[in-house]
């Protein structure tokens, strides 16, 4: 015999919070060279030279750039990969400043 319990309001909030989309954000730092950041974006994400440079310039001039958007788990993997390359990255819900 199976029993179906009603969803709690907190369960609905959790589902909505993980639904996404989410973003991986790379932040400016005083350590990494601009050419290295371009290299990372090209190597890891497979971005074209122009796109990788455009994102690097956003990081440099604006202090941050959204480098990927999608499901939360995938964005967390991207952020961890950026950390492995020595870049500062975070995950945030899309639409969050």
């Amino acid at each position: 015999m199976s029993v179906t319990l009603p969803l709690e309001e907190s369960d609905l909030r959790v589902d909505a919070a993980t639904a996404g989309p989410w973003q991986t954000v790379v932040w400016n730092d005083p350590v990494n060279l601009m050419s290295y950041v371009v290299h990372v974006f090209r190597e890891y994400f497979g971005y074209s030279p122009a796109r990788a440079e455009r994102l690097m310039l956003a990081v440099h001039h604006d202090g941050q750039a959204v480098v990927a958007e999608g499901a939360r788990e995938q964005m967390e993997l991207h952020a961890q990969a950026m950390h492995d390359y020595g870049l500062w990255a975070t995950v945030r819900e899309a639409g969050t400043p």
Side-chain angles (χ1 to χ4, degrees), residues 1 12 29 31 36-37 39 74 92:
M1 178 171 149
L12 296 175
D29 65 58
V31 178
Y36 177 70
V37 175
H39 165 76
Q74 185 63 51
R92 69 180 181 202

Side-chain angles (χ1 to χ4, degrees), residues 41-95:
F41 292 165
R42 293 196 63 210
E43 182 173 294
Y44 179 77
F45 292 107
Y47 291 156
S48 68
R51 183 171 184 189
E53 185 158 340
R54 188 170 52 252
L55 288 169
M56 175 277 297
L57 288 172
V59 170
H60 182 70
H61 293 296
D62 302 334
Q64 65 176 325
V66 174
V67 296
E69 188 170 300
R72 183 176 182 172
E73 287 182 1
Q74 185 63 51
M75 297 307 101
E76 289 173 352
L77 291 173
H78 290 329
Q80 182 58 55
M82 296 300 97
H83 297 165
D84 293 345
Y85 279 102
L87 301 182
W88 179 27
T90 58
V91 174
R92 69 180 181 202
E93 194 167 7

